[in-house]
Amino acid sequence: MFDGWEAQAAVVARIAFAMLLGGVIGLEREMKDRPAGFRTHTLVAGAAAMLTGMGDMMLAQAQHDHDGRVQIDPFRLVEAVIAGVAFIGAGTMIAHRGRVVAGITTAASLLMVAVIGVAVGFGHGWLALLATLLTFGVLSLLAWLERRVTRRDDAG
């Protein structure tokens, strides 16, 4: 039951780091009162890190048990993460009068935090941190541009 507790503890640390990074993006979405905010982004990033961390542990166990012959594909877990996030992301998008779709940016940010969680789960913390900063920067830039365009439209 507690085989490889050190590996499990490392995965828990990765989950916590992924949740922290996902929470940064989620906080930005929460402050803008979007359909998926802090909790959703935090949980998506953590779930992605846990799945890929478990994949790493399964791969290590398979290599240990089968003399290097691996019969497990941990990248299928990545596909499961993407499928799950697609379902959640679809729920955040709303069509208004059949013309305008809202929530696409939030769905995209959920996908991004899932991929950030995958990166953390596979042990690529620096990549995940930099991707978080880039994502936060893009979302902040979009907000700034929206404010400028709104002010220009109101003035004209």
Side-chain angles (χ1 to χ4, degrees):
M1 179 169 144
F2 293 105
D3 290 339
W5 68 269
E6 298 95 348
Q8 293 178 43
V11 170
V12 169
R14 289 178 182 179
I15 293 167
F17 184 55
M19 292 176 96
L20 174 71
L21 297 178
V24 169
I25 304 303
L27 189 59
E28 188 277 340
R29 300 276 79 199
E30 186 86 28
M31 290 173 24
K32 291 183 178 154
D33 198 28
R34 298 302 189 232
F38 177 75
R39 292 181 296 185
T40 304
H41 283 76
T42 300
L43 292 173
V44 165
M50 183 170 176
L51 278 171
T52 52
M54 288 172 23
D56 259 2
M57 289 189 324
M58 290 186 318
L59 185 60
Q61 185 65 41
Q63 288 173 338
H64 181 265
D65 290 347
H66 297 9
D67 299 324
R69 292 178 300 147
V70 178
Q71 298 176 349
I72 295 174
D73 182 6
F75 291 105
R76 287 190 180 182
L77 293 172
V78 175
E79 293 172 358
V81 168
I82 300 305
V85 170
F87 180 77
I88 296 169
T92 66
M93 292 187 280
I94 303 166
H96 295 284
R97 297 184 198 118
R99 299 182 76 208
V100 177
V101 178
I104 294 174
T105 303
T106 298
S109 68
L110 285 168
L111 175 61
M112 192 62 186
V113 298
V115 175
I116 288 168
V118 166
V120 171
F122 280 136
H124 303 292
W126 282 109
L127 175 63
L129 177 62
L130 294 173
T132 300
L133 294 174
L134 287 170
T135 303
F136 189 80
V138 165
L139 292 172
S140 298
L141 177 64
L142 286 174
W144 179 78
L145 287 173
E146 286 172 353
R147 284 192 303 273
R148 288 195 46 102
V149 168
T150 303
R151 272 191 237 135
R152 190 170 292 155
D153 287 346
D154 290 343

